[in-house]
Amino acid sequence: MGTRGMVQAARPGEFEAFFARELGSLEAIAYGLTGRWGLAEELAQEAMLAVYRRWDTVAGYDDPAAFARRVVANKAVSAFRRMLAEARAVNRVRHRRPPPHAVLSDSDDALWAAVRKLPARQAQAVTLRYVADLDTLAIAAALDCTEGNVRVLLHRARQALAVALHREQEDAR
């Protein structure tokens, strides 16, 4: 009979013996296919779970280990494809431009350079207000302070920016 030929019904304890005998071989196959030991162990265990779930049928095959090897090989290919897809997705995210509402134009470079020179809390308040478009309550929550404190930070930041940008305009003349 072929690999899937039914020879005999499964006996109690037979799967445990099969597991003990074949797990190391499945791990080695998975490692050879993936090059990652932790993943290889996981794939071998998943293959054994698939065999266990079908044990009544698989136990009757001429070579139950061949079925387990095929399962682990298929799982390794699937894992490789999944890792490749994940790597592509991460690469897309890393190289994605910020969403349109967060894009700062080149003409704003001087403004944002001046914002970065402000005291940290003022710069945070300005950025949250004008880039994230948050109101004073949301900014207060983000900065863990009162709304009144946010209004003071924004007022002082606007004053400092007006002076800095006015100086820059005069220097440009």
Side-chain angles (χ1 to χ4, degrees), residues 74-105:
N74 288 341
K75 288 190 174 293
V77 168
S78 295
F80 176 75
R81 287 181 182 150
R82 186 173 46 253
M83 287 187 301
L84 195 58
E86 288 170 1
R88 282 190 206 122
V90 166
N91 196 33
R92 278 193 305 272
V93 169
R94 283 187 184 155
H95 294 95
R96 188 182 80 192
R97 292 192 172 166
H101 67 277
V103 172
L104 306 175
S105 71

PDB file of all heavy atoms in Angstrom, residues 74-105:
ATOM      1  N   ASN A  74       5.554  22.224   4.933  1.00  0.00           N
ATOM      2  CA  ASN A  74       4.532  23.189   4.509  1.00  0.00           C
ATOM      3  C   ASN A  74       4.446  24.352   5.493  1.00  0.00           C
ATOM      4  O   ASN A  74       4.319  25.515   5.089  1.00  0.00           O
ATOM      5  CB  ASN A  74       3.171  22.516   4.372  1.00  0.00           C
ATOM      6  CG  ASN A  74       3.105  21.597   3.165  1.00  0.00           C
ATOM      7  OD1 ASN A  74       3.897  21.701   2.242  1.00  0.00           O
ATOM      8  ND2 ASN A  74       2.159  20.673   3.189  1.00  0.00           N
ATOM      9  N   LYS A  75       4.521  24.048   6.779  1.00  0.00           N
ATOM     10  CA  LYS A  75       4.457  25.113   7.786  1.00  0.00           C
ATOM     11  C   LYS A  75       5.686  26.019   7.698  1.00  0.00           C
ATOM     12  O   LYS A  75       5.578  27.221   7.908  1.00  0.00           O
ATOM     13  CB  LYS A  75       4.304  24.521   9.188  1.00  0.00           C
ATOM     14  CG  LYS A  75       2.915  23.938   9.411  1.00  0.00           C
ATOM     15  CD  LYS A  75       2.680  23.569  10.842  1.00  0.00           C
ATOM     16  CE  LYS A  75       1.244  23.140  11.054  1.00  0.00           C
ATOM     17  NZ  LYS A  75       0.277  24.217  10.884  1.00  0.00           N
ATOM     18  N   ALA A  76       6.838  25.450   7.377  1.00  0.00           N
ATOM     19  CA  ALA A  76       8.051  26.261   7.233  1.00  0.00           C
ATOM     20  C   ALA A  76       7.925  27.215   6.050  1.00  0.00           C
ATOM     21  O   ALA A  76       8.317  28.384   6.140  1.00  0.00           O
ATOM     22  CB  ALA A  76       9.277  25.360   7.064  1.00  0.00           C
ATOM     23  N   VAL A  77       7.375  26.733   4.949  1.00  0.00           N
ATOM     24  CA  VAL A  77       7.168  27.596   3.782  1.00  0.00           C
ATOM     25  C   VAL A  77       6.177  28.713   4.133  1.00  0.00           C
ATOM     26  O   VAL A  77       6.405  29.881   3.805  1.00  0.00           O
ATOM     27  CB  VAL A  77       6.665  26.774   2.574  1.00  0.00           C
ATOM     28  CG1 VAL A  77       6.178  27.680   1.458  1.00  0.00           C
ATOM     29  CG2 VAL A  77       7.770  25.862   2.071  1.00  0.00           C
ATOM     30  N   SER A  78       5.104  28.359   4.834  1.00  0.00           N
ATOM     31  CA  SER A  78       4.121  29.369   5.238  1.00  0.00           C
ATOM     32  C   SER A  78       4.749  30.397   6.170  1.00  0.00           C
ATOM     33  O   SER A  78       4.489  31.600   6.049  1.00  0.00           O
ATOM     34  CB  SER A  78       2.926  28.708   5.929  1.00  0.00           C
ATOM     35  OG  SER A  78       2.243  27.888   5.028  1.00  0.00           O
ATOM     36  N   ALA A  79       5.581  29.937   7.105  1.00  0.00           N
ATOM     37  CA  ALA A  79       6.242  30.859   8.032  1.00  0.00           C
ATOM     38  C   ALA A  79       7.171  31.794   7.269  1.00  0.00           C
ATOM     39  O   ALA A  79       7.229  32.995   7.562  1.00  0.00           O
ATOM     40  CB  ALA A  79       7.012  30.077   9.089  1.00  0.00           C
ATOM     41  N   PHE A  80       7.898  31.258   6.292  1.00  0.00           N
ATOM     42  CA  PHE A  80       8.795  32.086   5.489  1.00  0.00           C
ATOM     43  C   PHE A  80       7.998  33.148   4.737  1.00  0.00           C
ATOM     44  O   PHE A  80       8.372  34.321   4.720  1.00  0.00           O
ATOM     45  CB  PHE A  80       9.586  31.220   4.508  1.00  0.00           C
ATOM     46  CG  PHE A  80      10.457  32.018   3.593  1.00  0.00           C
ATOM     47  CD1 PHE A  80      11.635  32.583   4.056  1.00  0.00           C
ATOM     48  CD2 PHE A  80      10.095  32.231   2.271  1.00  0.00           C
ATOM     49  CE1 PHE A  80      12.445  33.341   3.216  1.00  0.00           C
ATOM     50  CE2 PHE A  80      10.892  32.982   1.430  1.00  0.00           C
ATOM     51  CZ  PHE A  80      12.068  33.536   1.902  1.00  0.00           C
ATOM     52  N   ARG A  81       6.896  32.749   4.143  1.00  0.00           N
ATOM     53  CA  ARG A  81       6.062  33.714   3.407  1.00  0.00           C
ATOM     54  C   ARG A  81       5.500  34.774   4.346  1.00  0.00           C
ATOM     55  O   ARG A  81       5.445  35.955   4.001  1.00  0.00           O
ATOM     56  CB  ARG A  81       4.921  32.985   2.696  1.00  0.00           C
ATOM     57  CG  ARG A  81       5.378  32.200   1.505  1.00  0.00           C
ATOM     58  CD  ARG A  81       4.225  31.508   0.825  1.00  0.00           C
ATOM     59  NE  ARG A  81       4.686  30.719  -0.306  1.00  0.00           N
ATOM     60  CZ  ARG A  81       4.106  29.631  -0.729  1.00  0.00           C
ATOM     61  NH1 ARG A  81       3.009  29.179  -0.139  1.00  0.00           N
ATOM     62  NH2 ARG A  81       4.591  28.974  -1.761  1.00  0.00           N
ATOM     63  N   ARG A  82       5.083  34.347   5.539  1.00  0.00           N
ATOM     64  CA  ARG A  82       4.543  35.285   6.520  1.00  0.00           C
ATOM     65  C   ARG A  82       5.625  36.282   6.949  1.00  0.00           C
ATOM     66  O   ARG A  82       5.381  37.483   7.038  1.00  0.00           O
ATOM     67  CB  ARG A  82       3.988  34.513   7.714  1.00  0.00           C
ATOM     68  CG  ARG A  82       3.268  35.355   8.734  1.00  0.00           C
ATOM     69  CD  ARG A  82       2.569  34.530   9.823  1.00  0.00           C
ATOM     70  NE  ARG A  82       3.385  33.465  10.374  1.00  0.00           N
ATOM     71  CZ  ARG A  82       3.217  32.170  10.133  1.00  0.00           C
ATOM     72  NH1 ARG A  82       2.274  31.771   9.328  1.00  0.00           N
ATOM     73  NH2 ARG A  82       3.997  31.270  10.699  1.00  0.00           N
ATOM     74  N   MET A  83       6.846  35.786   7.219  1.00  0.00           N
ATOM     75  CA  MET A  83       7.945  36.681   7.614  1.00  0.00           C
ATOM     76  C   MET A  83       8.273  37.661   6.492  1.00  0.00           C
ATOM     77  O   MET A  83       8.545  38.834   6.743  1.00  0.00           O
ATOM     78  CB  MET A  83       9.185  35.874   7.995  1.00  0.00           C
ATOM     79  CG  MET A  83       9.063  35.177   9.329  1.00  0.00           C
ATOM     80  SD  MET A  83      10.594  34.376   9.890  1.00  0.00           S
ATOM     81  CE  MET A  83      10.931  33.235   8.575  1.00  0.00           C
ATOM     82  N   LEU A  84       8.251  37.176   5.252  1.00  0.00           N
ATOM     83  CA  LEU A  84       8.521  38.042   4.111  1.00  0.00           C
ATOM     84  C   LEU A  84       7.457  39.132   3.995  1.00  0.00           C
ATOM     85  O   LEU A  84       7.777  40.311   3.792  1.00  0.00           O
ATOM     86  CB  LEU A  84       8.564  37.197   2.836  1.00  0.00           C
ATOM     87  CG  LEU A  84       9.157  37.815   1.593  1.00  0.00           C
ATOM     88  CD1 LEU A  84      10.585  38.270   1.833  1.00  0.00           C
ATOM     89  CD2 LEU A  84       9.123  36.810   0.456  1.00  0.00           C
ATOM     90  N   ALA A  85       6.201  38.749   4.155  1.00  0.00           N
ATOM     91  CA  ALA A  85       5.106  39.732   4.099  1.00  0.00           C
ATOM     92  C   ALA A  85       5.224  40.743   5.233  1.00  0.00           C
ATOM     93  O   ALA A  85       5.008  41.946   5.035  1.00  0.00           O
ATOM     94  CB  ALA A  85       3.756  39.019   4.152  1.00  0.00           C
ATOM     95  N   GLU A  86       5.582  40.271   6.428  1.00  0.00           N
ATOM     96  CA  GLU A  86       5.740  41.173   7.563  1.00  0.00           C
ATOM     97  C   GLU A  86       6.895  42.136   7.329  1.00  0.00           C
ATOM     98  O   GLU A  86       6.794  43.321   7.644  1.00  0.00           O
ATOM     99  CB  GLU A  86       5.965  40.374   8.847  1.00  0.00           C
ATOM    100  CG  GLU A  86       4.721  39.665   9.330  1.00  0.00           C
ATOM    101  CD  GLU A  86       4.987  38.685  10.468  1.00  0.00           C
ATOM    102  OE1 GLU A  86       6.159  38.569  10.916  1.00  0.00           O
ATOM    103  OE2 GLU A  86       4.028  38.041  10.905  1.00  0.00           O
ATOM    104  N   ALA A  87       7.989  41.636   6.771  1.00  0.00           N
ATOM    105  CA  ALA A  87       9.135  42.502   6.492  1.00  0.00           C
ATOM    106  C   ALA A  87       8.763  43.574   5.472  1.00  0.00           C
ATOM    107  O   ALA A  87       9.149  44.736   5.607  1.00  0.00           O
ATOM    108  CB  ALA A  87      10.313  41.666   5.986  1.00  0.00           C
ATOM    109  N   ARG A  88       8.005  43.176   4.456  1.00  0.00           N
ATOM    110  CA  ARG A  88       7.560  44.165   3.460  1.00  0.00           C
ATOM    111  C   ARG A  88       6.664  45.212   4.106  1.00  0.00           C
ATOM    112  O   ARG A  88       6.769  46.401   3.809  1.00  0.00           O
ATOM    113  CB  ARG A  88       6.806  43.472   2.326  1.00  0.00           C
ATOM    114  CG  ARG A  88       7.698  42.787   1.343  1.00  0.00           C
ATOM    115  CD  ARG A  88       6.892  42.338   0.111  1.00  0.00           C
ATOM    116  NE  ARG A  88       7.542  41.215  -0.504  1.00  0.00           N
ATOM    117  CZ  ARG A  88       7.015  40.027  -0.716  1.00  0.00           C
ATOM    118  NH1 ARG A  88       5.762  39.793  -0.368  1.00  0.00           N
ATOM    119  NH2 ARG A  88       7.698  39.065  -1.281  1.00  0.00           N
ATOM    120  N   ALA A  89       5.765  44.782   4.985  1.00  0.00           N
ATOM    121  CA  ALA A  89       4.853  45.717   5.654  1.00  0.00           C
ATOM    122  C   ALA A  89       5.634  46.687   6.545  1.00  0.00           C
ATOM    123  O   ALA A  89       5.374  47.892   6.535  1.00  0.00           O
ATOM    124  CB  ALA A  89       3.818  44.956   6.472  1.00  0.00           C
ATOM    125  N   VAL A  90       6.599  46.172   7.294  1.00  0.00           N
ATOM    126  CA  VAL A  90       7.413  47.036   8.147  1.00  0.00           C
ATOM    127  C   VAL A  90       8.188  48.023   7.291  1.00  0.00           C
ATOM    128  O   VAL A  90       8.285  49.206   7.621  1.00  0.00           O
ATOM    129  CB  VAL A  90       8.360  46.185   9.030  1.00  0.00           C
ATOM    130  CG1 VAL A  90       9.438  47.043   9.676  1.00  0.00           C
ATOM    131  CG2 VAL A  90       7.573  45.435  10.087  1.00  0.00           C
ATOM    132  N   ASN A  91       8.717  47.557   6.184  1.00  0.00           N
ATOM    133  CA  ASN A  91       9.461  48.430   5.282  1.00  0.00           C
ATOM    134  C   ASN A  91       8.560  49.537   4.726  1.00  0.00           C
ATOM    135  O   ASN A  91       8.973  50.695   4.637  1.00  0.00           O
ATOM    136  CB  ASN A  91      10.081  47.609   4.146  1.00  0.00           C
ATOM    137  CG  ASN A  91      11.149  48.375   3.422  1.00  0.00           C
ATOM    138  OD1 ASN A  91      11.855  49.184   4.013  1.00  0.00           O
ATOM    139  ND2 ASN A  91      11.273  48.126   2.134  1.00  0.00           N
ATOM    140  N   ARG A  92       7.327  49.175   4.378  1.00  0.00           N
ATOM    141  CA  ARG A  92       6.388  50.199   3.878  1.00  0.00           C
ATOM    142  C   ARG A  92       6.098  51.229   4.951  1.00  0.00           C
ATOM    143  O   ARG A  92       6.051  52.426   4.682  1.00  0.00           O
ATOM    144  CB  ARG A  92       5.088  49.546   3.419  1.00  0.00           C
ATOM    145  CG  ARG A  92       5.129  48.955   2.034  1.00  0.00           C
ATOM    146  CD  ARG A  92       3.747  48.610   1.517  1.00  0.00           C
ATOM    147  NE  ARG A  92       2.995  47.739   2.389  1.00  0.00           N
ATOM    148  CZ  ARG A  92       3.024  46.414   2.364  1.00  0.00           C
ATOM    149  NH1 ARG A  92       3.785  45.788   1.480  1.00  0.00           N
ATOM    150  NH2 ARG A  92       2.297  45.698   3.187  1.00  0.00           N
ATOM    151  N   VAL A  93       5.907  50.786   6.187  1.00  0.00           N
ATOM    152  CA  VAL A  93       5.602  51.708   7.278  1.00  0.00           C
ATOM    153  C   VAL A  93       6.793  52.621   7.550  1.00  0.00           C
ATOM    154  O   VAL A  93       6.632  53.817   7.748  1.00  0.00           O
ATOM    155  CB  VAL A  93       5.199  50.934   8.553  1.00  0.00           C
ATOM    156  CG1 VAL A  93       5.144  51.846   9.761  1.00  0.00           C
ATOM    157  CG2 VAL A  93       3.855  50.255   8.341  1.00  0.00           C
ATOM    158  N   ARG A  94       7.990  52.064   7.529  1.00  0.00           N
ATOM    159  CA  ARG A  94       9.195  52.870   7.792  1.00  0.00           C
ATOM    160  C   ARG A  94       9.399  53.941   6.744  1.00  0.00           C
ATOM    161  O   ARG A  94       9.924  55.001   7.025  1.00  0.00           O
ATOM    162  CB  ARG A  94      10.428  51.977   7.834  1.00  0.00           C
ATOM    163  CG  ARG A  94      10.566  51.221   9.100  1.00  0.00           C
ATOM    164  CD  ARG A  94      11.882  50.498   9.127  1.00  0.00           C
ATOM    165  NE  ARG A  94      11.967  49.694  10.329  1.00  0.00           N
ATOM    166  CZ  ARG A  94      12.709  48.625  10.434  1.00  0.00           C
ATOM    167  NH1 ARG A  94      13.451  48.215   9.426  1.00  0.00           N
ATOM    168  NH2 ARG A  94      12.745  47.942  11.553  1.00  0.00           N
ATOM    169  N   HIS A  95       9.026  53.658   5.511  1.00  0.00           N
ATOM    170  CA  HIS A  95       9.270  54.600   4.429  1.00  0.00           C
ATOM    171  C   HIS A  95       8.033  55.402   4.040  1.00  0.00           C
ATOM    172  O   HIS A  95       8.065  56.154   3.082  1.00  0.00           O
ATOM    173  CB  HIS A  95       9.835  53.860   3.209  1.00  0.00           C
ATOM    174  CG  HIS A  95      11.181  53.291   3.490  1.00  0.00           C
ATOM    175  ND1 HIS A  95      11.346  51.998   3.899  1.00  0.00           N
ATOM    176  CD2 HIS A  95      12.403  53.858   3.481  1.00  0.00           C
ATOM    177  CE1 HIS A  95      12.637  51.786   4.104  1.00  0.00           C
ATOM    178  NE2 HIS A  95      13.293  52.886   3.860  1.00  0.00           N
ATOM    179  N   ARG A  96       6.973  55.227   4.792  1.00  0.00           N
ATOM    180  CA  ARG A  96       5.742  55.964   4.512  1.00  0.00           C
ATOM    181  C   ARG A  96       5.893  57.408   4.969  1.00  0.00           C
ATOM    182  O   ARG A  96       6.494  57.685   5.994  1.00  0.00           O
ATOM    183  CB  ARG A  96       4.593  55.302   5.270  1.00  0.00           C
ATOM    184  CG  ARG A  96       3.234  55.868   4.900  1.00  0.00           C
ATOM    185  CD  ARG A  96       2.167  55.207   5.714  1.00  0.00           C
ATOM    186  NE  ARG A  96       2.190  55.850   7.011  1.00  0.00           N
ATOM    187  CZ  ARG A  96       1.554  55.399   8.072  1.00  0.00           C
ATOM    188  NH1 ARG A  96       0.888  54.303   8.011  1.00  0.00           N
ATOM    189  NH2 ARG A  96       1.612  56.042   9.210  1.00  0.00           N
ATOM    190  N   ARG A  97       5.350  58.273   4.212  1.00  0.00           N
ATOM    191  CA  ARG A  97       5.355  59.679   4.596  1.00  0.00           C
ATOM    192  C   ARG A  97       4.285  59.906   5.653  1.00  0.00           C
ATOM    193  O   ARG A  97       3.297  59.184   5.701  1.00  0.00           O
ATOM    194  CB  ARG A  97       5.074  60.542   3.382  1.00  0.00           C
ATOM    195  CG  ARG A  97       6.214  60.466   2.409  1.00  0.00           C
ATOM    196  CD  ARG A  97       6.096  61.502   1.361  1.00  0.00           C
ATOM    197  NE  ARG A  97       7.340  61.457   0.603  1.00  0.00           N
ATOM    198  CZ  ARG A  97       7.492  62.025  -0.548  1.00  0.00           C
ATOM    199  NH1 ARG A  97       6.516  62.687  -1.079  1.00  0.00           N
ATOM    200  NH2 ARG A  97       8.640  61.957  -1.166  1.00  0.00           N
ATOM    201  N   PRO A  98       4.472  60.939   6.468  1.00  0.00           N
ATOM    202  CA  PRO A  98       3.456  61.223   7.484  1.00  0.00           C
ATOM    203  C   PRO A  98       2.122  61.551   6.816  1.00  0.00           C
ATOM    204  O   PRO A  98       2.097  61.995   5.667  1.00  0.00           O
ATOM    205  CB  PRO A  98       3.992  62.456   8.210  1.00  0.00           C
ATOM    206  CG  PRO A  98       5.398  62.631   7.770  1.00  0.00           C
ATOM    207  CD  PRO A  98       5.575  61.869   6.504  1.00  0.00           C
ATOM    208  N   PRO A  99       1.039  61.353   7.516  1.00  0.00           N
ATOM    209  CA  PRO A  99      -0.262  61.694   6.937  1.00  0.00           C
ATOM    210  C   PRO A  99      -0.327  63.185   6.607  1.00  0.00           C
ATOM    211  O   PRO A  99       0.362  63.978   7.250  1.00  0.00           O
ATOM    212  CB  PRO A  99      -1.262  61.309   8.033  1.00  0.00           C
ATOM    213  CG  PRO A  99      -0.477  61.127   9.268  1.00  0.00           C
ATOM    214  CD  PRO A  99       0.937  60.845   8.874  1.00  0.00           C
ATOM    215  N   PRO A 100      -1.158  63.563   5.626  1.00  0.00           N
ATOM    216  CA  PRO A 100      -1.198  64.957   5.166  1.00  0.00           C
ATOM    217  C   PRO A 100      -1.391  65.982   6.270  1.00  0.00           C
ATOM    218  O   PRO A 100      -0.794  67.039   6.227  1.00  0.00           O
ATOM    219  CB  PRO A 100      -2.374  64.983   4.191  1.00  0.00           C
ATOM    220  CG  PRO A 100      -2.539  63.568   3.756  1.00  0.00           C
ATOM    221  CD  PRO A 100      -2.057  62.719   4.886  1.00  0.00           C
ATOM    222  N   HIS A 101      -2.197  65.681   7.294  1.00  0.00           N
ATOM    223  CA  HIS A 101      -2.444  66.681   8.337  1.00  0.00           C
ATOM    224  C   HIS A 101      -1.209  66.950   9.190  1.00  0.00           C
ATOM    225  O   HIS A 101      -1.137  67.947   9.872  1.00  0.00           O
ATOM    226  CB  HIS A 101      -3.620  66.270   9.227  1.00  0.00           C
ATOM    227  CG  HIS A 101      -3.352  65.065  10.064  1.00  0.00           C
ATOM    228  ND1 HIS A 101      -3.491  63.789   9.571  1.00  0.00           N
ATOM    229  CD2 HIS A 101      -2.929  64.948  11.339  1.00  0.00           C
ATOM    230  CE1 HIS A 101      -3.175  62.929  10.524  1.00  0.00           C
ATOM    231  NE2 HIS A 101      -2.825  63.600  11.590  1.00  0.00           N
ATOM    232  N   ALA A 102      -0.219  66.052   9.153  1.00  0.00           N
ATOM    233  CA  ALA A 102       0.974  66.239   9.959  1.00  0.00           C
ATOM    234  C   ALA A 102       2.169  66.718   9.136  1.00  0.00           C
ATOM    235  O   ALA A 102       3.243  66.883   9.658  1.00  0.00           O
ATOM    236  CB  ALA A 102       1.337  64.933  10.665  1.00  0.00           C
ATOM    237  N   VAL A 103       1.963  66.937   7.855  1.00  0.00           N
ATOM    238  CA  VAL A 103       3.065  67.371   7.003  1.00  0.00           C
ATOM    239  C   VAL A 103       3.347  68.844   7.260  1.00  0.00           C
ATOM    240  O   VAL A 103       2.445  69.665   7.275  1.00  0.00           O
ATOM    241  CB  VAL A 103       2.735  67.127   5.511  1.00  0.00           C
ATOM    242  CG1 VAL A 103       3.798  67.751   4.623  1.00  0.00           C
ATOM    243  CG2 VAL A 103       2.609  65.658   5.237  1.00  0.00           C
ATOM    244  N   LEU A 104       4.610  69.147   7.460  1.00  0.00           N
ATOM    245  CA  LEU A 104       5.031  70.527   7.658  1.00  0.00           C
ATOM    246  C   LEU A 104       5.764  70.953   6.395  1.00  0.00           C
ATOM    247  O   LEU A 104       6.711  70.304   5.972  1.00  0.00           O
ATOM    248  CB  LEU A 104       5.955  70.623   8.875  1.00  0.00           C
ATOM    249  CG  LEU A 104       5.384  70.035  10.174  1.00  0.00           C
ATOM    250  CD1 LEU A 104       6.430  70.085  11.277  1.00  0.00           C
ATOM    251  CD2 LEU A 104       4.125  70.752  10.579  1.00  0.00           C
ATOM    252  N   SER A 105       5.341  72.045   5.816  1.00  0.00           N
ATOM    253  CA  SER A 105       5.942  72.467   4.556  1.00  0.00           C
ATOM    254  C   SER A 105       7.322  73.076   4.790  1.00  0.00           C
ATOM    255  O   SER A 105       7.653  73.513   5.890  1.00  0.00           O
ATOM    256  CB  SER A 105       5.036  73.476   3.849  1.00  0.00           C
ATOM    257  OG  SER A 105       5.056  74.696   4.551  1.00  0.00           O
TER     258      SER A 105
END
